[in-house]
Amino acid sequence: MEKSKVLVVGGTGYIGRRIVKASLAQGHQTYVLQRPEIGLDIEKLQMLLSFKKEGAHLVEGSFSDFQSLVDAVKRVDVVICTMSGVHFRSHNILLQLKLVEAIKQAGNVKKGHDEMIQL
């Protein structure tokens, strides 16, 4: 079965880090969106560096720079967003809508992908 190019958005979160590791373990070319908004969060920076050491590609992108999201999506054929949408005050739901628009504009993401990443 052909391996995918997977972009994980929210890769440093509780679920995201597990998705990144599972994707890498299954041999997918794995990209993790590195957002400048994390600032100097040492734990998240260390996690991103460990992903890179394991073979992931870090892709810079920001929800405040729409074109950077489109450019990140153009590198892959699968996008997995693990950002929490629970807290409406965090505006994550609105950010996820920007990601959906970036996916539509990029136009290269597979629909109905039949391969699932096994956790």
Side-chain angles (χ1 to χ4, degrees):
M1 183 173 281
E2 183 180 331
K3 297 297 180 179
S4 298
K5 294 181 201 170
V6 178
L7 173 65
V8 181
V9 179
T12 59
Y14 181 79
I15 294 171
R17 69 184 78 167
R18 287 158 175 80
I19 296 291
V20 170
K21 289 182 181 211
S23 179
L24 287 168
Q26 292 179 27
H28 297 289
Q29 204 171 25
T30 304
Y31 295 78
V32 181
L33 190 70
Q34 180 178 353
R35 296 182 288 159
E37 294 86 1
I38 68 167
L40 294 176
D41 185 324
I42 299 300
E43 183 180 331
K44 288 184 179 187
L45 289 172
Q46 287 175 332
M47 190 178 313
L48 288 169
L49 290 174
S50 74
F51 292 155
K52 186 174 181 176
K53 193 174 185 178
E54 294 173 33
H57 305 276
L58 303 182
V59 179
E60 290 189 27
S62 173
F63 284 95
S64 61
D65 178 2
F66 183 74
Q67 189 59 48
S68 70
L69 291 178
V70 174
D71 292 343
V73 171
K74 284 183 177 181
R75 296 175 177 231
V76 301
D77 47 38
V78 175
V79 176
I80 301 173
C81 182
T82 62
M83 292 173 53
S84 171
V86 175
H87 306 290
F88 185 74
R89 295 178 123 183
S90 70
H91 305 291
N92 281 353
I93 293 172
L94 298 176
L95 295 179
Q96 290 177 35
L97 291 176
K98 283 186 179 183
L99 180 59
V100 169
E101 286 305 313
I103 291 167
K104 287 179 183 178
Q105 185 168 325
N108 58 303
V109 173
K110 295 177 183 177
K111 294 181 182 178
H113 192 57
D114 59 354
E115 183 178 337
M116 299 291 291
I117 293 176
Q118 303 294 318
L119 292 178

